[in-house]
Amino acid sequence: MELLFALLAIALIAWVAVPLLRRARGGREVLQSNARAVDPAGSYGFVPLDELDVRLPGPDPQLAEVLQELQEDQDWQAASRLLALTDDEWELRWQRVQTLAGAAAFELARAPGEGGAWLRTWRAEKPKDVGGAEVHAEFLVRQAWMAGVGAAEFPVILEEAKKVCAEAAMLAPGSPMPYIIELAIARGAHYREADFEELWHTVEQRAGDHMGAHLAALQYACEKWHGSREAAYDFAQRAASSAGPGTLLPALPLFAVWEHLPEANLVRGLYEGEVVRQAIEGAQYAVHHAPADHPMLPHVRHLLACFLVRAERYEEALEQMRHVDGYVGALPWSLSEQPAAEYAAYRALAVAGYEGGRGAALK
C-alpha cells in the first residue's frame, strides 16, 4: 500500500507538471526526480532507468553491435557492411542512416574537431560508397540544426548537404534515400511549395508508404514551418486514408496532432476530444495491423504511449510500453535533455494510474 500511495502522489504531481512545463527545463527536472524516486522496473519487469538505451527507438541488435564497434575502434567498415546488407529495405535503411549520422554528430559535439572521425575516414577512403554518402548527408543536416536556423553557417551547411544528397542519388539510381534526406533540407532551406511538391512526388514514386518520409514531409506542412495546422492535418489524413495494408500511415495524424499541441495545457479534455481520440484510434489501428518487425513501429508506440498517459488511459499506455521498454530514442522523449528520465517518469505515471484502478481500456 505504501508503494501505491507513493505512485499516486507522483501521478498527481506529474499530471500537473507534464502539460504545463512539457518543454521547460524545470518541468523535466520535476519529472526526472519523480522517476528516480519510484522506478517500477522491478515489480513490472521494466528495464531500470539507468539501463534505458537512448540511441534506438527499439531493438536492432545488428545496429547496436555496429555502434559499439564504432565507439571502440572507429572502424567505419562495420557501418558500411551493415548498410550494404540492408540494401533496399528502405524503412530500415532510413532508420539506420539516421542513427549512424546521429552517433557521428553526438561524438563531434562531445569532442569538437575529433569526434566522429570514422565518418570522415569512411568518406575519404571509400567516396563511392552510397551508404557513406547517405550518412554524411544526414550528418550535415543534423549539424545545420545544431548550429541553429539563425546561424550564418546554417544555409551553408544545408547547401553542402544538398550536394551530398545529389552525389548519393548518382551512386544509387532509383533509391529514395537521398530524396528522403533532402526533405529536411527543403524545410530548412525554404523550398518553394512547387519545388517541395516536386521533391515529394519523387519520394512517393519510389517509396509511397515510407513512414519516415511522411514524417519528414509532415514537418514542412506544419504551422511552425511552411504550412498551417490545417495543412498538416490534411496531409496526414490523406496519407492515412490512402494507406496500403500493413503500413503505419494511419498513425500519421497522431504526429500531426503532436506537432500542434499548445506549449502549455492544463485541460485534460484536450486528450479526450474528438481530434485526439481519432488520432489515437488511427495509431492503435496501425500498430495492430503493421508487421511486428516494422522498423518504424517503435516510433509509433512511443508517441502513442505518451498520448495514452495524458488521456489517463493507463492500461493501454502500459501495453505500448511493454513493447518498446528498454529503448527511448524516439519522440517525444528525444526532445528532452534527459530522454531516459522523461520516459521513466511517464512509465511511473502509467503504473500509478493503473495501480489506482483508473484508465482501463476505453470502449
Side-chain angles (χ1 to χ4, degrees):
M1 287 300 291
E2 291 181 0
L3 174 61
L4 173 58
F5 289 144
L7 287 169
L8 289 175
I10 289 171
L12 179 60
I13 296 170
W15 180 244
V16 173
V18 170
L20 181 59
L21 298 171
R22 178 166 54 90
R23 292 185 176 89
R25 182 175 180 179
R28 283 197 289 268
E29 289 173 349
V30 170
L31 288 174
Q32 291 157 8
S33 64
N34 287 338
R36 292 186 177 91
V38 179
D39 187 353
S43 56
Y44 280 80
F46 287 135
V47 175
L49 170 63
D50 58 0
E51 295 179 19
L52 293 171
D53 191 331
V54 301
R55 304 166 303 171
L56 304 175
D60 186 341
Q62 290 178 303
L63 179 56
E65 183 177 344
V66 167
L67 290 172
Q68 187 66 29
E69 288 186 41
L70 289 173
Q71 183 179 0
E72 294 175 354
D73 304 326
Q74 292 289 301
D75 185 0
W76 58 267
Q77 295 186 60
S80 178
R81 287 192 298 269
L82 178 67
L83 291 183
L85 290 171
T86 308
D87 195 23
D88 61 354
E89 298 176 66
W90 302 127
E91 293 274 20
L92 181 59
R93 189 179 184 91
W94 181 81
Q95 172 108 345
R96 287 174 168 177
V97 166
Q98 290 261 311
T99 303
L100 289 168
F106 176 78
E107 289 179 21
L108 183 60
R110 188 173 56 180
E114 299 179 6
W118 55 267
L119 178 55
R120 295 189 291 276
T121 305
W122 186 359
R123 294 291 285 143
E125 295 185 359
K126 199 173 182 181
K128 300 300 182 183
D129 186 343
V130 64
E134 291 168 354
V135 174
H136 186 199
E138 177 62 29
F139 167 80
L140 288 170
V141 170
R142 289 172 181 258
Q143 288 300 105
W145 296 125
M146 289 175 69
V149 175
E153 62 268 33
F154 181 77
V156 178
I157 300 173
L158 285 184
E159 186 61 31
E160 181 63 23
K162 186 176 179 180
K163 291 179 182 178
V164 180
C165 280
E167 182 183 344
M170 292 180 63
L171 291 171
S175 169
M177 286 295 300
Y179 304 97
I180 295 174
I181 296 169
E182 191 179 348
L183 290 170
I185 299 172
R187 171 166 44 106
H190 302 284
Y191 279 26
R192 296 180 309 159
E193 186 174 348
D195 295 332
F196 181 84
E197 288 298 331
E198 182 180 352
L199 173 62
W200 178 241
H201 178 70
T202 301
V203 173
E204 281 193 304
Q205 291 294 106
R206 300 178 182 216
D209 288 336
H210 196 287
M211 183 64 174
H214 279 81
L215 289 174
L218 176 66
Q219 289 290 319
Y220 184 92
C222 285
E223 187 174 60
K224 62 186 176 183
W225 286 104
H226 306 289
S228 63
R229 180 190 302 264
E230 292 72 22
Y233 285 5
D234 180 63
F235 175 79
Q237 292 291 352
R238 282 189 285 111
S241 62
S242 62
T247 77
L248 286 170
L249 294 181
L252 197 62
L254 189 68
F255 287 85
V257 170
W258 167 259
E259 292 295 339
H260 295 89
L261 287 175
E263 285 290 325
N265 173 65
L266 288 176
V267 182
R268 173 189 169 193
L270 172 67
Y271 297 95
E272 297 176 338
E274 192 61 24
V275 172
V276 175
R277 181 187 291 271
Q278 288 182 3
I280 288 175
E281 289 177 355
Q284 288 178 319
Y285 175 88
V287 300
H288 289 153
H289 291 85
D293 60 351
H294 194 299
M296 292 297 294
L297 184 55
H299 287 274
V300 178
R301 290 193 186 278
H302 279 290
L303 189 62
L304 180 55
C306 172
F307 270 86
L308 289 169
V309 168
R310 293 186 179 194
E312 299 189 18
R313 295 164 62 169
Y314 301 119
E315 184 178 359
E316 294 167 275
L318 286 174
E319 178 60 26
Q320 299 305 321
M321 289 175 169
R322 288 188 183 100
H323 285 282
V324 296
D325 193 65
Y327 303 88
V328 295
L331 285 175
W333 330 119
S334 58
L335 296 176
S336 170
E337 294 176 3
Q338 298 187 48
E342 189 91 357
Y343 167 80
Y346 272 78
R347 188 174 64 182
L349 186 57
V351 169
Y354 178 71
E355 288 281 0
R358 298 183 295 141
L362 298 182
K363 304 300 183 183

